Amino acid sequence: EGDWSKAEVLLVDQVGWLAELYAWGDMAFIGGSFKKTVHSVMEALGAGLKTFVGPKHLNNREAIEFQSIRGAVQVVHDADDLRRAVEHLSLAELKAFKRDFQLDFVARLGATKKLAVSIVAPLL
């Protein structure tokens, strides 16, 4: 516990905090993607974070798809690659990305409703 609101980097090794922490962040590295398989990128993307994954991300459709949508997901191959990618991002760029990407993300919501309507409509 404590006041970490002014921290530049925050490492958390505890389950159950990600959704809240993503709301405070500007970027995220999604674990698992250097060793075996990447965890879900959707919470980080939903919070509008520039998201980084390692090379073992092919198990996650969104990690692949969102690479081509505003470059929301970026693949890095090692710690030096991640450092170089992060060094090139300014806080202003990250804030603009968050604002613009969240608008894109919200526009994609509603797939379940669209699917249900497409199934039920022909029956009416």
Side-chain angles (χ1 to χ4, degrees), residues 3 24 26 30 32 34-35 41 46-48 52-53 57 59 66 68 76 83 86 100 102 106 114-115 117 122-123:
D3 180 17
W24 287 85
D26 295 308
I30 307 301
F34 279 135
K35 292 187 177 192
V41 298
F52 297 92
V53 296
H57 66 279
N59 65 298
F66 281 91
S68 62
V76 294
R83 180 186 45 77
V86 169
D100 296 343
Q102 282 179 318
V106 168
K114 290 175 188 173
L115 178 62
V117 168
L123 302 174

